[in-house]
Amino acid sequence: MPSRYESKSIEPKWQKKWQEVDLFRTREEPSRPKFYGLDFFPYPSGQGLSVGHLRNYIPTDVLCRMKYMQGYNVLHPMGWDAFGLPAENEALAKKVHPAKLVSLYAQTYKRQMNLVGISYDWWREINSSTPEYYRWTQWIFLLLYKKGLAYHAEYPANWCPQCQTVLANEEVEGGNCWRCGTPVTKKNLKQWFFKITAYAERLLQDLDELNWPEGIKMMQRNWIGKSEGVEFEWKIADSNLSFRTFTTRIDTVFGATFCVLSPEHPLVLKITTPEHRAEVENYIESAMRLSEQDRLATERPKTGVFTGAYAIHPFTGNRVPIWIADYVLMTYGTGAIMAVPGHDERDYDFAKRYGLEIVRVIRSADGSPDDLPYTSEDGIMVNSGEFSELPCREGQKRLAEWLEERGIGERRVNYRLRDWLISRQRFWGTPIPIVHCQRCGLVPVPENELPVRLPEIESYEPTGTGESPLAGIPEWVNVKCPTCGGAARRETDTMGTFACSSWYFLRFCDPHNVKRAWDPEKAAKWMPVDCYVGGAEHAVMHLLYARFWNKVFYDEGLVPCKEPFQTLRNQGMVLALTPYRKPRENERLKVGEEGILITFEEAAKLPKEEVFYKWEKMSKSKGNVVTPDEAVDKYGADALRVYELFEAPFEQTIQWSEERVQGAIRFLHRVFKLTDDWHPHFVRDWSEQINTVNLDASSREMRNITHTTIEKVTKDIEDFSFNTAIAALMEFTNAITEKIRIFTPEQNSLRLAISEAVETLILLLAPIAPHSADEIWESYGFPGFTYQANFPKANPALLTKERVTIVLQVNGRVRANIEVPTGTSREELERLALSHERVQQFIDGKKVQKVVVVPDKLVNVVAK
Ligand code: ANZ
Ligand code: ZN
């Protein structure tokens, strides 16, 4: 029996044994309930994993292992999100095919995951860049195309000049490329889109049912951005043209003193008068250079130009000037607004800048001060003709009806959500299975010709013309039209990787199917994912796209559930201490930096006052990465697991600490020591006898501790409260150690109770520190693996303590403790307190005025 946690000798041994019997191969016994636990599938980068990534994988592993031991069929798969720019860029730099790189990196990831004992079913491993996988991504593309949910359209795409590719709106962060930080520009290209907007309302409504972090749901709601308002028509003065505006505040319409069209609005050049033409054209050109994000930035000064044209106000008949300004977007509402400077911030700034008329049409309801712009919707309408003195909300209804009766406007719902731009002008992605024929137009590649394979090529250099490198391979591009047999060209764009990750959770249900993307019956067995775990950075893109596709599949009868991910959890990061040197005189720093990154060796050589440290996310560029390999070598996999779980609540960021890992090691040593002190044959026969003998008080107490620990650990793991689960196991370990210390061989009932406790400890520990648990399990002579044993179940009859400690106070100060049976009556507690020697001593000579009794806790005697 080992008396210490020796990671080096036990961990490789158990990993090998698990692998030999394919222990984690998914069980599919029809009589059992199912549990699908999933980690976001990673892009396997050349850097390999850091201990930071494990904060995602270890907790899911603990939950999945527990569920399996509880009798569930557990699906716990892993795969690679292998397409995409990073691999392509690296392939370019290293002149190696991206497929080679990716499979190499995936092997490293897999090895590192195994190194910490994650229980993935590798039989289900998938790689999104293999033809066996992307064939079905293409099949799904065609399904969407057939349903009218994929279309080809000209669009001023976000263009990253550095990556030389188009970016989705979601990939633009503050006007910059999310990947490389370069400012994003616009480029007009024909692009493929998925019509996610058709599902906007369902994507919004169904969020309510999900067990997701509230913050992520909020971000999705904001991204979908539903707003209810009124759309109505404005006639242009002295012409038969008109335009429509969308407003959420029709109650302010009497304050509309001008209108603003987006610079891209098709009417602009038609209505601009000759004397304003040059200025308008200049303005349009400068606006085109800005990203949507820049144009919306509230802190930017509002600029615009007058077109020379006027519109007729539908309520007052007044002539109002029509301007163009870049803060009005063509992609939202109607691309034109009624401007109400008295009650809208942006319109107010604009009117101030250009000296346009500002009128008040809303006042506060209670007469409280209300400077302009006054934006509250709780006010009263004024200066609004027959609608004056109506509360805003009432007015909104009446004004909408007025417009509807006259047929010049109607209530409308608008969404901020845009269609999903899927085209990428890159090589390393799923080819879009479409052929362009001069005669037939867009022709889908017939299903039996899928996959459209990526060609083997020498160079993946982007063309920089906005076309993918595939366009430079005539043998691949030039094909016969599947419909008419004439000359045709393949689509050369590939799909962004969010296509691959929008259905991979379904492929895991049926990973080797060569006839279908997945068998709907298999999906019906496993879906939805019961617990999905990953970083919060996927709040919008991945999680919204995957929900959208799942809904399309649901409508097709391919999946059983409206939502793919029932429960979502976001793990905290692991930060590493990173040394910096203070800048020297005349030394310039990059924006956002406070010092110069140095290594620990450099830091050791510098004078103390020149060095400072920061806690930062682990990354290769910072040189602060701790790899699983190093950590496992130094501390052991189980110690690493315990450390990461115990250090802080699951969602919280932790600071990597060698000292604290030592704490985890000490805990594991204590467990080994305890089991070493407890004879194996004791543990083997307790269960038959424990219900037949009379247990003494000490044994009953042991059993109570055992069963309350089972209950707590089970619930805590279920709730992702791993740190408190481990805290409970630490206390449990101490309690057992104490009982073993006082145990003498003639105490037969205590022997049984301790044996139960020891076996329970091993099994409760099994999901958390599986190598150690199996080692102890074996040394006790139990067959197989802890993974195959039943997870302990708490016996409800043993959950209440038999005896409790009551604190006795006099005038609020603790004077004594007594032990009584749980549930002792108030009267009896009062009697026991008043007759207690120590209490009597303190009330001696005083008059008892009151006795406060809190059953099972305390008695306070108030005496003066
Ligand atoms: C007049 C008005 C008065 C407005 C007022 C607001 C407050 P949400 O809630 O996000 O849907 N708007 C409409 N289309 C626009 C576009 N293409 N580009 C920029 N702004 C646009 O916002 C709707 C409001 O945003 C609309 O209501 C409109 O301004 C503006 F006191 O109309 B409002
Ligand atoms: Zn054709």
Side-chain angles (χ1 to χ4, degrees):
M1 180 80 74
S3 62
R4 288 172 63 79
Y5 164 60
E6 304 284 3
S7 64
K8 289 247 163 58
S9 61
I10 64 170
E11 287 170 356
K13 164 183 155 189
W14 288 102
Q15 285 166 13
K16 189 157 160 278
K17 286 187 183 232
W18 297 339
Q19 213 179 343
E20 275 164 11
V21 301
D22 208 358
L23 188 61
F24 307 120
R25 179 70 171 267
T26 310
R27 172 171 68 191
E28 292 185 273
E29 290 171 15
S31 61
R32 294 176 182 272
K34 69 96 182 179
F35 183 82
Y36 188 173
L38 185 63
D39 298 313
F40 285 20
F41 82 152
Y43 162 75
S45 99
Q47 304 183 10
L49 293 174
S50 79
V51 292
H53 295 100
L54 302 181
R55 272 209 97 197
N56 181 338
Y57 308 139
I58 293 169
T60 316
D61 188 51
V62 174
L63 181 60
C64 286
R65 282 173 175 270
M66 179 178 86
K67 287 285 174 185
Y68 187 92
M69 292 173 73
Q70 286 174 332
Y72 288 78
N73 290 329
V74 172
L75 181 55
H76 185 210
M78 180 44 77
W80 319 111
D81 192 8
F83 271 137
L85 261 187
E88 185 170 337
N89 287 340
E90 235 185 295
L92 268 174
K94 296 188 176 152
K95 307 235 174 290
V96 187
H97 196 281
K100 280 227 180 73
L101 287 179
V102 160
S103 83
L104 212 66
Y105 298 162
Q107 277 174 36
T108 302
Y109 270 47
K110 183 171 169 178
R111 185 183 56 71
Q112 291 175 316
M113 289 164 170
N114 287 336
L115 204 55
V116 288
I118 311 289
S119 64
Y120 293 130
D121 174 3
W122 289 113
W123 182 78
R124 289 175 190 254
E125 176 180 357
I126 56 179
N127 175 333
S128 65
S129 68
T130 57
E132 296 75 42
Y133 185 90
Y134 68 64
R135 166 184 189 175
W136 302 112
T137 311
Q138 293 173 337
W139 178 81
I140 295 165
F141 180 97
L142 295 177
L143 171 71
L144 291 165
Y145 186 74
K146 267 179 250 154
K147 291 178 64 85
L149 293 169
Y151 64 93
H152 202 214
E154 174 125 346
Y155 184 75
N158 303 306
W159 176 257
C160 172
Q162 174 66 34
C163 300
Q164 301 208 347
T165 189
V166 164
L167 302 172
N169 282 338
E170 294 87 336
E171 292 171 338
V172 180
E173 287 171 354
N176 300 323
C177 172
W178 72 315
R179 212 179 281 290
C180 70
T182 307
V184 170
T185 58
K186 292 277 167 179
K187 191 172 178 107
N188 263 324
L189 289 171
K190 269 232 160 171
Q191 312 271 325
W192 283 96
F193 292 88
F194 292 136
K195 210 174 198 170
I196 190 172
T197 52
Y199 283 71
E201 188 60 30
R202 287 166 67 185
L203 288 168
L204 184 67
Q205 293 306 327
D206 294 348
L207 276 174
D208 295 342
E209 297 159 26
L210 298 177
N211 178 17
W212 285 20
E214 223 20 73
I216 303 261
K217 290 207 246 181
M218 253 347 261
M219 284 169 77
Q220 293 221 343
R221 284 191 192 105
N222 289 338
W223 190 262
I224 296 165
K226 180 179 185 173
S227 67
E228 290 169 73
V230 174
E231 192 180 300
F232 66 100
E233 184 177 276
W234 295 73
K235 293 227 169 340
I236 292 171
D238 314 318
S239 104
N240 51 12
L241 297 171
S242 68
F243 62 93
R244 297 173 75 83
T245 57
F246 171 73
T247 179
T248 47
R249 292 296 305 277
I250 191 67
D251 52 308
T252 66
V253 69
F254 283 84
T257 54
F258 59 101
C259 284
V260 185
L261 305 186
S262 156
E264 299 93 335
H265 197 288
L267 224 53
V268 174
L269 290 175
K270 287 189 197 141
I271 63 169
T272 302
T273 56
E275 60 272 30
H276 290 93
R277 196 165 185 97
E279 211 187 340
V280 164
E281 281 178 351
N282 271 338
Y283 187 81
I284 295 175
E285 216 189 287
S286 65
M288 286 296 286
R289 281 199 292 267
L290 295 171
S291 73
E292 214 161 88
Q293 278 67 24
D294 285 334
R295 288 172 56 168
L296 287 174
T298 40
E299 64 284 359
R300 258 185 76 242
K302 304 283 163 293
T303 62
V305 291
F306 180 41
T307 60
Y310 290 84
I312 306 297
H313 194 293
F315 288 88
T316 64
N318 291 344
R319 284 162 67 94
V320 305
I322 304 174
W323 286 64
I324 64 170
D326 62 17
Y327 75 90
V328 176
L329 302 177
M330 196 55 222
T331 49
Y332 188 64
T334 61
I337 63 160
M338 67 170 199
V340 184
H343 304 285
D344 180 274
E345 299 273 359
R346 292 178 304 174
D347 300 344
Y348 182 83
D349 294 345
F350 194 81
K352 277 279 179 203
R353 181 175 176 119
Y354 295 106
L356 297 163
E357 191 186 359
I358 303 175
V359 298
R360 168 190 289 279
V361 293
I362 310 286
R363 65 167 167 80
S364 71
D366 54 5
S368 60
D370 55 356
D371 289 342
L372 294 183
Y374 175 70
T375 57
S376 166
E377 233 168 314
D378 299 321
I380 304 289
M381 291 170 63
V382 293
N383 296 325
S384 298
E386 56 181 294
F387 301 95
S388 294
E389 295 309 314
L390 287 174
C392 290
R393 283 170 229 275
E394 173 65 18
Q396 285 169 4
K397 244 183 83 204
R398 301 270 291 273
L399 288 158
E401 282 162 6
W402 190 96
L403 287 164
E404 278 164 355
E405 277 160 21
R406 284 161 185 76
I408 48 177
E410 62 280 319
R411 276 168 265 220
R412 255 200 78 119
V413 176
N414 261 321
Y415 299 90
R416 291 247 159 231
L417 186 65
R418 301 275 75 93
D419 278 339
W420 166 12
L421 171 62
I422 194 63
S423 285
R424 296 293 181 277
Q425 289 67 43
R426 300 296 303 222
F427 169 76
W428 192 234
T430 306
I432 292 176
I434 293 282
V435 164
H436 298 265
C437 169
Q438 282 182 348
R439 227 178 309 165
C440 317
L442 298 172
V443 183
V445 173
E447 260 172 46
N448 59 13
E449 288 176 24
L450 298 182
V452 176
R453 281 171 192 266
L454 282 173
E456 294 286 331
I457 59 168
E458 306 277 285
S459 153
Y460 338 98
E461 309 275 350
T463 58
T465 59
E467 279 187 306
S468 106
L470 292 171
I473 310 166
E475 319 81 270
W476 188 83
V477 174
N478 298 321
V479 288
K480 288 210 174 81
C481 167
T483 309
C484 73
R489 278 174 62 85
R490 278 197 195 287
E491 171 63 62
T492 57
D493 283 357
T494 55
M495 290 184 237
T497 52
F498 285 117
C500 315
S501 56
S502 291
W503 73 280
Y504 77 105
F505 45 93
L506 291 160
R507 188 67 180 170
F508 277 138
C509 301
D510 193 9
H512 302 296
N513 197 329
V514 291
K515 298 220 172 72
R516 318 189 58 168
W518 66 86
D519 177 348
E521 274 179 30
K522 296 234 162 110
K525 278 203 191 119
W526 288 113
M527 288 295 290
V529 173
D530 298 283
C531 189
Y532 196 27
V533 186
E537 68 275 11
H538 295 287
V540 181
M541 293 187 266
H542 163 57
L543 289 170
L544 198 61
Y545 297 151
R547 294 181 60 220
F548 161 48
W549 274 26
N550 186 82
K551 287 185 189 303
V552 176
F553 303 147
Y554 177 78
D555 293 347
E556 288 292 298
L558 296 171
V559 295
C561 46
K562 290 183 186 162
E563 287 288 335
F565 314 124
Q566 195 44 45
T567 294
L568 175 74
R569 297 284 189 163
N570 301 126
Q571 79 277 5
M573 281 189 295
V574 180
L575 302 183
L577 201 61
T578 314
Y580 282 88
R581 171 171 69 68
K582 286 185 190 154
R584 309 214 164 105
E585 246 178 278
N586 300 328
E587 212 168 19
R588 291 246 250 93
L589 291 175
K590 287 193 206 136
V591 217
E593 282 184 357
E594 297 152 50
I596 290 129
L597 190 68
I598 54 175
T599 63
F600 276 98
E601 291 79 59
E602 289 168 325
K605 287 185 206 133
L606 286 169
K608 268 211 181 76
E609 29 337 321
E610 277 191 46
V611 179
F612 65 99
Y613 295 87
K614 276 167 73 175
W615 286 103
E616 291 185 328
K617 196 176 161 172
M618 289 186 185
S619 80
K620 199 171 192 180
S621 63
K622 297 271 180 193
N624 61 2
V625 174
V626 178
T627 65
D629 310 65
E630 285 167 68
V632 167
D633 183 54
K634 246 175 147 171
Y635 317 109
D638 281 349
L640 183 63
R641 292 170 67 107
V642 169
Y643 162 73
E644 293 210 10
L645 295 162
F646 182 58
E647 188 61 6
F650 168 76
E651 296 81 7
Q652 240 171 55
T653 293
I654 64 175
Q655 300 176 337
W656 176 255
S657 153
E658 194 146 321
E659 246 163 74
R660 309 271 306 168
V661 188
Q662 294 300 338
I665 293 176
R666 281 193 298 275
F667 165 59
L668 292 170
H669 281 329
R670 279 203 300 279
V671 174
F672 274 93
K673 172 80 172 51
L674 174 161
T675 54
D676 188 40
D677 289 346
W678 195 246
H679 203 286
H681 77 244
F682 287 174
V683 178
R684 259 170 270 143
D685 65 358
W686 65 268
S687 58
E688 297 102 63
Q689 296 180 41
I690 200 157
N691 292 317
T692 62
V693 299
N694 261 332
L695 297 176
D696 61 15
S698 176
S699 314
R700 290 198 305 267
E701 187 193 38
M702 183 76 265
R703 293 206 83 189
N704 171 250
I705 295 172
T706 300
H707 286 264
T708 47
T709 306
I710 295 171
E711 186 172 70
K712 176 152 178 61
V713 171
T714 308
K715 186 168 182 311
D716 283 354
I717 292 178
E718 194 87 53
D719 294 344
F720 266 60
S721 184
F722 303 100
N723 59 328
T724 56
I726 292 177
L729 288 175
M730 289 175 170
E731 278 177 35
F732 189 35
T733 305
N734 294 344
I736 301 171
T737 306
E738 185 52 29
K739 287 286 182 196
I740 292 177
R741 199 182 59 78
I742 61 163
F743 172 76
T744 53
E746 68 280 4
Q747 290 172 293
N748 187 43
S749 78
L750 187 57
R751 177 175 69 80
L752 299 174
I754 293 177
S755 296
E756 177 188 31
V758 172
E759 183 176 332
T760 302
L761 175 66
I762 304 165
L763 292 174
L764 292 180
L765 198 65
I768 293 167
H771 311 85
S772 303
D774 273 0
E775 181 68 19
I776 300 168
W777 192 247
E778 183 190 55
S779 66
Y780 273 128
F782 289 117
F785 306 94
T786 50
Y787 191 70
Q788 295 162 322
N790 293 329
F791 201 72
K793 274 206 188 90
N795 179 346
L798 298 170
L799 290 176
T800 39
K801 270 196 183 169
E802 284 181 30
R803 296 181 74 77
V804 282
T805 305
I806 305 286
V807 175
L808 302 184
Q809 302 178 332
V810 178
N811 294 333
R813 303 193 55 181
V814 179
R815 297 303 179 191
N817 288 322
I818 51 169
E819 263 211 9
V820 300
T822 306
T824 302
S825 71
R826 289 170 172 277
E827 296 71 32
E828 177 65 4
L829 287 173
E830 180 170 340
R831 195 189 62 75
L832 286 168
L834 291 173
S835 60
H836 195 279
E837 189 189 338
R838 289 271 292 163
V839 174
Q840 286 198 339
Q841 190 183 324
F842 283 95
I843 58 176
D844 191 33
K846 294 181 187 155
K847 196 165 170 271
V848 173
Q849 298 188 311
K850 194 164 67 169
V851 181
V852 182
V853 180
V854 183
D856 294 341
K857 289 223 164 64
L858 120 180
V859 180
N860 182 22
V861 180
V862 182
K864 275 199 181 129

